[in-house]
Amino acid sequence: MNFWEYLGNRHQQLLADAFQHASAVFQCMVIATLLGVLIGVLTYRREWAGNLAITSTATILTVPSLALIGLLIPVLGLGVAPTVTALVLYGLLPITRNAVVGLRGVDPTLVDAAKGIGMSRAARLLRVELPLAWPPILTGIRVATQMLMGIAAIAAFASGPGLGNQIFRGISSLGSSNALNEVLSGTLGIVILALLFDAVYVLIGRLTISRGIRA
Amino acid sequence: MPETQPPTAAAAGPAADAGPAAGAAPVTGATIQLENLSKRYHGSALPAVDSVNMEIGAGELVVFVGPSGCGKSTLLKMINRLIEPTSGRIRIGGEDVTRIDPVKLRRKVGYAIQASGLFPHMTVGDNIGLVPKMIGWSKTKVKDRVEEMLDLVGLDPKEFHGRYPRQLSGGQQQRVGVARALAADPPVLLMDEPFGAVDPITRDHLQDELIRLQRELHKTIVFVTHDFDEAVKLGDRIVVLREQSHIAQFDTPEAILTNPSDDFVSGFVGAGAALKRLNLTRVRDVGIADFPTVSVDDPLQSIFDRLRAGTHSELLLLDRKGRPYKWLRRGDLMRAKGSLARAGTLVGDYVTRDATLRDALEAVLTDSSGRVAVTGRRGEYIGVVDMETLMNSVHELLEEDRLSAMEAQHELEETRAQQTHLAQEGGAAAGPVPENGAGSSVAGGGGRLEGK
Ligand SMILES: Nc1ncnc2c1ncn2[C@@H]1O[C@H](COP(=O)(O)OP(=O)(O)OP(=O)(O)O)[C@@H](O)[C@H]1O
Ligand SMILES: [Mg+2]
């Protein structure tokens, strides 16, 4: 069976896997974004806190994904829980770092002006600082998404959902007639998904970054 | 042609209670009182601002001027508590605001800074409407206000409302910054070198604009600059600050120019105080003289006759709309063989009644006739100012300044003597009068005095 025949045969399975893959990445990105921005907002004002946040999220990233999932299985069991946890943890670094750097990069005279015209701390954050820090944060989210696309494939190791299952099935049955097709379709699917997500981010950037600060 | 309008350009003087007496617009400003206000930054040995006492009247425009690092910005930012004072008290409109919620305080105090401080991600309209929206104005009211404010600062609302700050020139940004600061109609406006970052010509425009605006609004404005000429141009009163915000002199521009309290202040005033003084008086405040005029429509013969018979050897020829056109001397017509078109010399320069004496002097010096024509709103002839009038007025002004300065000096000495007397009688109760180099003094009851 050549690759095209394989796709024709299995397209339903593949689509379901792709959908699950995308949905897992999407949901984890939502959680990671909320958490990452929150950590950024809570820490950027203090030198040490912000640096600690960046360093600790960076440390997580140095743990190989397979190892992290392996470590999580005894604690959280198999399936969705370790997958989500691992993906969120990996997604945190780029988002947290860019949130801290972005918020710190807001021109202090603008913050002064915001204070000076009587904006409360919350208003300053929501109306001035976050909108101005949003472009780098969105870049962080993009980078994190690309990363999670690949890492999500590893989740199949913990019986997680997604295209990783194709790849693992292929690897475990290397030599069989469909092994290559399986690995190839899984990998290609991930690449295509990543490109689609990126296109969506470009669109989101267009819609959410003010024309006044767009490059 | 005597002018009945009040001399608005001349400072109203210490407008402690009533504010400027003249002027149609009501005073919307509030008094500002600073009492023993100090700021010591963390980790520095000397305070950046050391025990400042000052009272600014409602509707006054007071300029802080002083060398870089003397604490002007620190002092200014303590008024809206962007910088929290280490000690001392701030009152606005009589209310002690030293401990109230700073956000609430800042909604009563507009703030405009160098390079405008506009939020780049918001349109001009959103920037201006931000504070009104925050304090809960309705959408339509905010919208109307934004248009009103753009109008006020001389920008076409339709054109500029939807622009982003980066689509504006520096001067336009600065106007929007001022509009934003005034949007919620705060009684007090703080401005920290607002025109520091624009070119000299734009700065001149913006200064004129601010003067006009203040004539309409009568806010209490505190303006920081290190340009003494700017201070003279804008201030009802000027505070000259030396290091640690010690008040070197707090007085009207006239008084500081003619009677600087010490070498530090004279150093700051710089050379040419008498010339700078000319900037403070307008043509409308000096005698505008009549001058014999003829019109281009007059019969040639009558012009001839007047030139020959008149006591003046010179006439001003007006064009059909009554605007100054040419200076005609005796003999000019003869030389031009009776052609008005070729006779005489064209009027080079003219000034309006709002021009400063300095402008007038400049015009007189460059015009060959030794005088300058004064024109009205539509360029029509009103009168002339000549060298002699100018010299006399300047001498009178300087003399007047000298007298009032002497009077002030006298008064001050009297109060001092009285205080010393009181202190001697009251013993320790009255406390010593601190005599620091700045010469700032402490009044008896309230414990404050407006410099000297
Ligand atoms: N945040 C700060 N921490 C420590 N010292 C400060 C701080 N801000 C200002 N200073 C010091 O306080 C003094 C007064 O500063 P300030 O900014 O008020 O001066 P300024 O008169 O506004 O000067 P300029 O004309 O240059 O703006 C300076 O010596 C400055 O170094
Ligand atoms: Mg300053």
Side-chain angles (χ1 to χ4, degrees):
Chain A
M1 188 162 20
N2 72 17
F3 184 60
W4 300 112
E5 286 167 355
Y6 176 83
L7 284 188
N9 258 340
R10 304 286 182 87
H11 71 273
Q12 231 153 5
Q13 171 71 38
L14 278 170
L15 279 180
D17 275 347
F19 175 77
Q20 280 189 329
H21 198 98
S23 139
V25 168
F26 173 74
Q27 290 176 49
C28 291
M29 275 312 301
V30 170
I31 301 173
T33 300
L34 291 177
L35 268 181
V37 173
L38 184 70
I39 295 173
V41 164
L42 291 177
T43 58
Y44 79 102
R45 271 177 230 269
R46 279 174 225 286
E47 187 71 34
W48 62 270
N51 295 348
L52 181 72
I54 292 173
T55 318
S56 46
T57 47
T59 312
I60 297 173
L61 209 62
T62 59
V63 180
S65 43
L66 199 59
L68 184 68
I69 291 175
L71 287 170
L72 286 173
I73 291 174
V75 187
L76 299 171
L78 287 172
V80 174
T83 310
V84 170
T85 311
L87 289 188
V88 169
L89 282 176
Y90 282 121
L92 276 183
L93 169 73
I95 300 174
T96 307
R97 187 185 49 206
N98 283 23
V100 170
V101 172
L103 286 167
R104 281 183 179 169
V106 174
D107 183 351
T109 61
L110 290 183
V111 180
D112 222 39
K115 265 192 219 169
I117 64 172
M119 298 180 85
S120 65
R121 193 164 163 165
R124 239 148 52 212
L125 190 66
L126 291 176
R127 302 294 311 275
V128 178
E129 293 177 271
L130 277 176
L132 288 176
W134 178 239
I137 294 176
L138 190 61
T139 307
I141 294 173
R142 262 174 94 168
V143 171
T145 307
Q146 303 296 316
M147 225 167 61
L148 291 205
M149 278 296 165
I151 293 174
I154 313 287
F157 178 72
S159 315
L163 289 165
N165 288 311
Q166 290 285 333
I167 300 172
F168 266 85
R169 220 177 296 135
I171 291 175
S172 57
S173 61
L174 271 182
S176 77
S177 60
N178 268 338
L180 194 63
N181 285 337
E182 282 169 337
V183 174
L184 203 59
S185 63
T187 310
L188 270 178
I190 289 172
V191 170
I192 291 168
L193 276 186
L195 289 176
L196 283 177
F197 266 74
D198 221 42
V200 172
Y201 281 126
V202 170
L203 196 68
I204 290 178
R206 285 252 142 224
L207 293 177
T208 58
I209 296 176
S210 155
R211 259 197 314 130
I213 52 174
R214 215 179 288 153
Chain B
M1 236 159 279
E3 280 292 319
T4 44
Q5 259 173 295
T8 37
D17 318 302
V27 172
T28 52
T31 54
I32 302 173
Q33 289 152 284
L34 309 180
E35 299 169 13
N36 294 314
L37 204 60
S38 295
K39 175 67 187 184
R40 183 198 294 270
Y41 283 110
H42 190 73
S44 54
L46 288 173
V49 171
D50 182 28
S51 196
V52 169
N53 287 287
M54 185 183 296
E55 184 164 336
I56 295 168
E60 242 192 314
L61 198 166
V62 166
V63 182
F64 292 176
V65 63
S68 186
C70 71
K72 304 179 293 290
S73 298
T74 305
L75 185 56
L76 186 82
K77 286 178 177 175
M78 280 199 282
I79 298 176
N80 66 357
R81 287 175 52 210
L82 271 181
I83 293 176
E84 288 289 350
T86 313
S87 63
R89 204 185 292 278
I90 308 148
R91 289 178 200 277
I92 292 183
E95 185 199 355
D96 187 344
V97 296
T98 325
R99 305 238 181 289
I100 68 166
D101 176 12
V103 173
K104 223 189 255 162
L105 162 65
R106 287 171 201 146
R107 300 215 170 140
K108 291 200 291 187
V109 181
Y111 184 56
I113 55 177
Q114 185 165 355
S116 84
L118 294 181
F119 303 131
H121 60 296
M122 296 184 193
T123 61
V124 165
D126 288 342
N127 264 288
I128 298 174
L130 193 58
V131 185
K133 219 181 281 172
M134 273 187 318
I135 55 178
W137 291 17
S138 72
K139 249 199 181 117
T140 48
K141 200 175 161 198
V142 172
K143 199 171 153 271
D144 291 347
R145 184 66 177 170
V146 169
E147 297 208 348
E148 190 188 337
M149 296 318 291
L150 279 172
D151 250 344
L152 183 75
V153 297
L155 295 174
D156 178 13
K158 269 197 222 83
E159 191 181 342
F160 288 96
H161 183 280
R163 290 221 201 158
Y164 285 94
R166 70 169 176 191
Q167 298 167 319
L168 304 179
S169 74
Q172 290 165 342
Q173 286 184 22
Q174 212 54 59
R175 282 162 205 259
V176 177
V178 172
R180 183 177 70 180
L182 288 170
D185 208 16
V188 173
L189 177 59
L190 307 180
M191 310 181 87
D192 195 348
E193 302 198 28
F195 310 146
V198 292
D199 64 272
I201 293 171
T202 310
R203 186 179 321 150
D204 222 48
H205 277 301
L206 291 171
Q207 288 167 347
D208 290 340
E209 204 100 307
L210 182 66
I211 292 172
R212 177 186 61 75
L213 225 129
Q214 172 67 346
R215 216 178 279 162
E216 281 175 39
L217 301 177
H218 289 293
K219 302 284 180 191
T220 305
I221 301 182
V222 185
F223 189 105
V224 166
T225 180
H226 49 238
D227 176 0
F228 188 74
D229 290 334
E230 184 169 64
V232 169
K233 182 169 177 187
L234 294 177
D236 291 329
R237 285 196 293 164
I238 297 176
V239 188
V240 183
L241 296 168
R242 63 173 94 223
E243 68 288 354
Q244 297 182 278
S245 285
H246 288 144
I247 297 174
Q249 191 166 7
F250 184 0
D251 217 326
T252 59
E254 292 87 344
I256 290 180
L257 281 172
T258 46
N259 190 37
S261 67
D262 58 19
D263 287 349
F264 176 82
V265 178
S266 357
F268 219 83
V269 169
L275 272 179
K276 284 176 188 170
R277 181 66 182 80
L278 292 180
N279 271 334
L280 285 169
T281 311
R282 311 263 153 184
V283 168
R284 63 165 77 247
D285 302 329
V286 304
I288 298 175
D290 272 330
F291 197 77
T293 60
V294 289
S295 163
V296 285
D297 287 339
D298 289 349
L300 206 58
Q301 190 56 47
S302 76
I303 300 179
F304 249 126
D305 292 347
R306 285 193 61 184
L307 268 176
R308 222 170 325 159
T311 42
H312 285 272
S313 60
E314 203 167 354
L315 290 176
L316 178 59
L317 180 65
L318 306 181
D319 69 7
R320 286 202 171 78
K321 288 181 175 156
R323 295 177 300 201
Y325 175 42
K326 273 179 178 177
W327 302 109
L328 281 183
R329 276 198 199 93
R330 201 173 279 164
D332 275 356
L333 267 180
M334 207 87 85
R335 272 191 291 280
K337 302 199 176 76
S339 155
L340 264 189
R342 268 181 281 148
T345 42
L346 284 172
V347 172
D349 207 355
Y350 48 86
V351 293
T352 67
R353 279 175 295 194
D354 277 325
T356 64
L357 286 198
R358 191 177 184 148
D359 294 337
L361 181 65
E362 171 106 31
V364 169
L365 288 177
T366 46
D367 200 299
S368 59
S369 67
R371 64 181 83 82
V372 62
V374 182
T375 56
R377 202 186 301 268
R378 282 171 304 278
E380 77 279 12
Y381 164 81
I382 291 176
V384 297
V385 171
D386 57 25
M387 198 65 189
E388 205 181 322
T389 320
L390 274 180
M391 298 249 293
N392 288 341
S393 328
V394 171
H395 281 142
E396 256 167 53
L397 284 171
L398 292 177
E399 193 53 35
E400 236 169 73
D401 287 346
R402 209 169 0 252
L403 284 179
S404 59
M406 266 165 61
E407 211 168 288
Q409 192 73 31
H410 187 69
E411 253 169 50
L412 189 76
E413 267 158 23
E414 226 158 57
T415 31
R416 279 226 178 114
Q418 224 161 7
Q419 274 172 6
T420 330
H421 188 63
L422 277 178
Q424 279 164 352
E425 279 192 346
V433 179
E435 198 50 70
N436 53 21
S440 70
S441 39
V442 178
R448 55 183 141 75
L449 193 89
E450 317 165 3
K452 51 187 249 189

